[in-house]
Every structure is written in structure tokens, then in C-alpha cells.
Amino acid sequence: MDIRNTTLIVIGGGPGGYVAAIRAGQLGIPTVLIEGESLGGTCLNVGCIPSKAIIHAATAFEEATHWAGDSKIGIKVSSPAIDLVKTMKWKDGIVTKLTSGVGALLKKNGVQVIKGWATIVDGKTVNVTPTGAGEPTIRVTCEHLLLAAGSDAVELPMMKFGGRVISSTDALALTEVPRTLAVVGAGYIGLELGMAYRKLGAEVHVVEALDRILPAYDDELTKPVRAAIDKSGIQLHLGHVVQGLNDLGDALHVKNAAGESVHLPADKILVAVGRKPHTAGWGLESLMLDMKGRAVKIDGQCRTSMRNVWAIGDLAGEPMLAHRAMAQGEMVAEIIAGKNRHFTPAAIPAVCFTDPEIVVVGLNASEATAAGHEVISAMFPFAANGRAMTLESTDGFVRVVARKDNHLVLGWQAVGKGVSELAAAFSQSLEMGAVLEDVGHTIHAHPTLGEAVQEAALRALGHALHI
Ligand code: FAD
Ligand code: NAD
């Protein structure tokens, strides 16, 4: 056995783990990062990045198709076609560029990367089975153990992944557009990928157990998304219960609210009913850490219940978002280096890359009221924004929520084409403790969607200019 010693072991090279390791390396902490699959984790390999690449390709294809038909802006295109094999190759190229970039950054910062599967022996010892054939087991001992093993897709017991039942990972590697696609779950993945495959030409059915889409967002925000879904021809089946495959195994059997059976045609069935922390199969149980539901319980510094054992990212539960994992990873490295840090962001932005997109930062009016604030709230519609008109995307709005007494901004919400890029401005205004006057009196470039942010703040103050 190859025996090594270090100060920090990081298990998992996703956005949580690799950012922690890079920062630890920058701070001079001897660090070993263990990754069994591919640097970049879910996010870079089979999550955020590949899904956004496919969404982009699908949107470009849909636009070309749209221009070929009804070209009110004067563009003429003759029957566009999609070569999904080529699209996937292009997507894989982006993934490779990013994951090899992560490898280069780790190397530059002196992090020792071991390609292999880690098994915990105790809070200071980890065995690694290298992925390379014939390589000996490596035992690494450390002072600090950082757990960043991420999450796995939840499976439906009556319909496990395999055959035509696919996970998001499979959906991001299809080589042809399925003629019919049934999606189970109208959450982030179901709608982001369901809408993309609809744009690529599939007949799409989305089945959701609840009576609404995107349960994480409020009704007003999801309304324009719902309208776009209906317009796109996606068949939405809300309040339906999945029974499994039909007897022939070529359709999805669901029951509606009245208990009647419905069979949905499905060359592929994408199951996207959530993700769960990856806690089994690598010796984590042996540490007997305190848990919070299925997740590892952590405090405000990402410490677990065992001294010098830390957990970050999806392994530590909701919100399972890459930027939250990265922020936690950076913080833990700094704490280990002796800095005084706590995980107390003013807000963690959430973006849903449907078409239109949704972005939420901080509290909406009912959440703020429930938290004991007396609030003012105002929205500004993109229908009154010049840039949105030039982009042919006037559906949606920006909404602001602020304290009534001192005008401190408590939250932003927006829905519309391209609003994900407003997340930076929203987050900064909350982190910097902006009041409505700060935003309303900031000169926003014209013509941009950002002017709707300024106008929402002005409207909350009672003097919007362009409505
Ligand atoms: P992960 O990225 O899951 O990384 C964990 C790593 O640990 C993996 O590489 C795994 O191989 C490794 N590992 C696990 N166990 C071991 C072991 N025993 N030994 C060695 N290695 C091990 N989030 C966003 O913020 N924005 C998005 O747009 C977005 N889109 C998404 C789209 C999809 C389709 C999916 C599935 C997820 C998406 N997410 C998105 C969520 C995001 O990918 C995760 O929140 C993020 O990757 C979590 O980072 P992490 O470091 O905690 O874990
Ligand atoms: P999700 O929690 O977003 O949505 C799951 C949906 O499935 C919910 O609407 C739920 O009511 C429904 N559902 C659950 N069981 C069902 C059943 N048996 N039948 C029908 N519907 C059922 O989960 P997801 O879409 O799988 O995504 C997982 C996680 O990945 C997200 O929560 C998020 O943390 C992350 N993610 C983020 C982004 C982003 O930031 N843009 C994109 C994709 C994924």
C-alpha cells in the first residue's frame, strides 16, 4: 500500500471540492483532492454546463426554424436541421475545456490530485482505490477531512434508470432527438431539458405530481413560463401520479386526479424528481456524523459533528446549487488557514434556465412579511422596456421587495428572456445593503434589460419614469 500524509484531504472534485482545494493551495495548505470520476463533478460534466449548452443549441435551432416559417423581421432561412451527434460533440468540447482547466488550476496551486474512489477509514484516514488498472491502494492521512461528494439523481422505485427510462445524465448525451419524450417532474431539470427537447422537435409530455410547475418559485413568476410551455406544444399533466411503464413497456402509465389511467407515448422517459446527497457506499456511515434528513448536518462554518471533518455542497443538502458549493468550499479553505469566516450570505441566487428564465435573489413579498417585515413591492414589465422589444421578448418583469420603513432592499425576482444575467446586480445590491434610492439613482445603460431593475426601484418609490 502507498501511504501518504497531508494537511487537507478533499473527497470529491466538483465545484465545492475543487474550489476548496484551489483556495487551500493558494493559502499554502498541503492538499490532496480525490476524485473518482472526472474533475468538475456533476456541474461541469453532467449538470450546469452541458445542460446550458444543449439549451443554447436548442434555442438557436428553434429560432432558425421560426425564421424559416414566419419571418416578420425579414430573415429568410431554408429548412434548418439538427445533427445532434455534432451538437453533443460541441457540448463535450466545452466540458473538456473546462475540466482540463480545473486540472491545470489545481496543479498550478500545488494540489495533489488522486484519480480514484475514496473510502473513509476514520476522520483522519482515507483509502483510495485508484481508477487506473493495477495501481495499488493508496492510504492518505490528514488533519482536516473535507467531504464534497455531491449528490445523485433520485430514482422512482417502480421505474429504475435503464432502457428507455433515463436520468439527466443520459438526456445530456442522446445521439438523436427522441420522437416522443415523457418527463417526470416539472422542476428545474424537467423543464429546462423538457423545453430544450421540445425546441429540438420532440413531442414532449411533462408529468408533475403537484398541481403546479416549479414549486420553488412563486405563482406570478412561473406564469410566463407556464404560458411559454403551453405555446410550445408541450403537454403538461399536473396532479398526475406515475404508475410505471405500461404492459408493453413503450409508454408511461400515469393516473390523473380522478384516478383514471392515461398512457403517454414515450421513446424516452426522463425522470427528474430531485437529487439526494451521495452518502452511501464510501464509508461515510462509519463516522456516525449527525445528519439532517438525508444530508450531512453542518453548522455556519460547514463543520460536521466531528472535529476537523467538514462538509460542503450537495452532500450538505439544499439548496443544491453549484455557486453555493463553491462559496462554501472557498470559506472552509480559509477557515482551515486560520481566517475568521462564517457562511452568512445575504442571499444565494437561484436561476431557472427555462425560456423565459427565472431569477430570484432574497425574499419575495410574502416571505418578507412572514419574516416580520412591513414591505413595499413593485414590478416593472418588460413590455415597457425598449431593449426587450428589440429582442422580441417582452414577456416578464422585474420585481423588487424592500422594507417600508428604511427602503432596504430585501429581494429581487425576475422572469424573462436573458434575466439570468441580472443575478449579479441583484446579489450585489443585497450584499451591499442597498436601499431603493441607491438602485433608482444609479445610471443604468440604455437600452438594456437592466433599466427594468432601476424602474422597479423607482416604481417602489412611487415615481417610475417609463410606465
Ligand atoms: P458534485 O458536483 O456532485 O461533485 C461531487 C464529486 O465527488 C463527483 O465528481 C463525484 O464523482 C465525486 N465523488 C463522490 N464520491 C466520491 C468518492 N467516494 N471518491 C472520490 N470521488 C467521489 N446548479 C447550478 O447552480 N446551476 C445550474 O444551472 C445547475 N444545473 C444543473 C443541471 C443538471 C442536469 C444537474 C444534474 C445539476 C445542476 N445543478 C446546477 C446542480 C449542481 O450541478 C450541483 O449543485 C453541484 O454540482 C454540486 O457540487 P458539489 O461539489 O457539491 O458536488
Ligand atoms: P426539483 O426538485 O427541481 O424538481 C423535482 C420535481 O419533481 C418537483 O416539481 C416535484 O414535485 C416533482 N416530483 C417529485 N416526485 C414526483 C413523482 N413521483 N411524479 C411526478 N413528479 C414528481 O428536482 P430536479 O429537477 O430533479 O433537480 C434537482 C436539483 O438539481 C434541483 O433541486 C437543483 O438543486 C439542481 N438543479 C439546478 C438547476 C439550476 O440552478 N438552474 C438546474 C438543474 C438542477
Side-chain angles (χ1 to χ4, degrees), residues 103-115:
L105 288 170
L106 289 164
K107 195 171 171 195
K108 182 182 151 210
N109 288 291
V111 176
Q112 197 188 133
V113 175
I114 302 180
K115 288 191 175 166

Side-chain angles (χ1 to χ4, degrees), residues 73-352:
I73 61 176
I75 296 171
K76 288 199 167 72
V77 176
S78 60
S79 55
I82 182 99
D83 176 349
L84 200 61
V85 172
K86 211 166 169 187
T87 310
M88 292 296 172
K89 262 195 195 146
W90 161 77
K91 175 264 295 178
D92 291 340
I94 297 171
V95 169
T96 305
K97 202 169 181 177
L98 289 169
T99 53
S100 46
V102 167
L105 288 170
L106 289 164
K107 195 171 171 195
K108 182 182 151 210
N109 288 291
V111 176
Q112 197 188 133
V113 175
I114 302 180
K115 288 191 175 166
W117 291 104
T119 307
I120 291 175
V121 177
D122 59 40
K124 293 199 181 311
T125 316
V126 172
N127 281 348
V128 190
T129 310
T131 42
E135 290 179 38
T137 301
I138 303 168
R139 170 162 289 191
V140 194
T141 55
C142 63
E143 282 170 42
H144 294 272
L145 178 60
L146 174 53
L147 311 174
S151 61
D152 302 305
V154 170
E155 284 192 276
L156 289 175
M158 76 300 259
M159 222 170 48
K160 299 268 186 192
F161 294 130
R164 68 180 68 209
V165 181
I166 61 172
S167 67
S168 56
T169 300
D170 307 312
L172 293 169
L174 294 178
T175 49
E176 57 185 40
V177 178
R179 201 176 49 80
T180 51
L181 173 69
V183 177
V184 183
Y188 277 100
I189 295 176
L191 291 189
E192 287 186 5
L193 294 184
M195 291 185 99
Y197 274 103
R198 177 66 195 139
K199 289 178 179 185
L200 290 171
E203 177 189 324
V204 177
H205 291 262
V206 178
V207 181
E208 167 59 49
L210 302 177
D211 60 1
R212 51 161 308 181
I213 60 167
L214 294 171
Y217 297 100
D218 68 60
D219 278 342
E220 252 185 316
L221 278 173
T222 56
K223 233 182 239 164
V225 179
R226 174 65 204 262
I229 287 172
D230 292 343
K231 196 172 162 207
S232 75
I234 290 177
Q235 308 278 317
L236 197 53
H237 307 271
L238 298 178
H240 280 57
V241 181
V242 172
Q243 305 294 307
L245 288 172
N246 66 348
D247 291 343
L248 286 176
D250 60 359
L252 178 65
H253 178 198
V254 297
K255 282 200 172 166
N256 63 19
E260 297 154 346
S261 284
V262 182
H263 291 90
L264 305 173
D267 291 337
K268 297 283 179 202
I269 300 168
L270 166 60
V271 175
V273 295
R275 294 182 64 83
K276 58 176 194 309
H278 178 63
T279 50
W282 50 288
L284 179 70
E285 315 81 335
S286 68
L287 295 182
M288 305 218 313
L289 299 177
D290 287 354
M291 303 295 283
K292 191 174 174 194
R294 288 165 151 181
V296 174
K297 189 176 174 190
I298 52 170
D299 68 6
Q301 290 188 307
C302 295
R303 295 176 194 272
T304 69
S305 52
M306 183 179 275
R307 198 167 162 267
N308 288 351
V309 177
W310 314 72
I312 57 172
D314 286 9
L315 187 70
E318 298 285 349
M320 294 195 195
L321 298 172
H323 41 279
R324 178 250 198 173
M326 292 193 233
Q328 290 178 324
E330 190 246 6
M331 178 197 73
V332 169
E334 295 212 340
I335 296 172
I336 292 171
K339 294 183 190 280
N340 184 14
R341 292 283 310 272
H342 290 266
F343 194 69
T344 49
I348 300 174
V351 175
C352 186

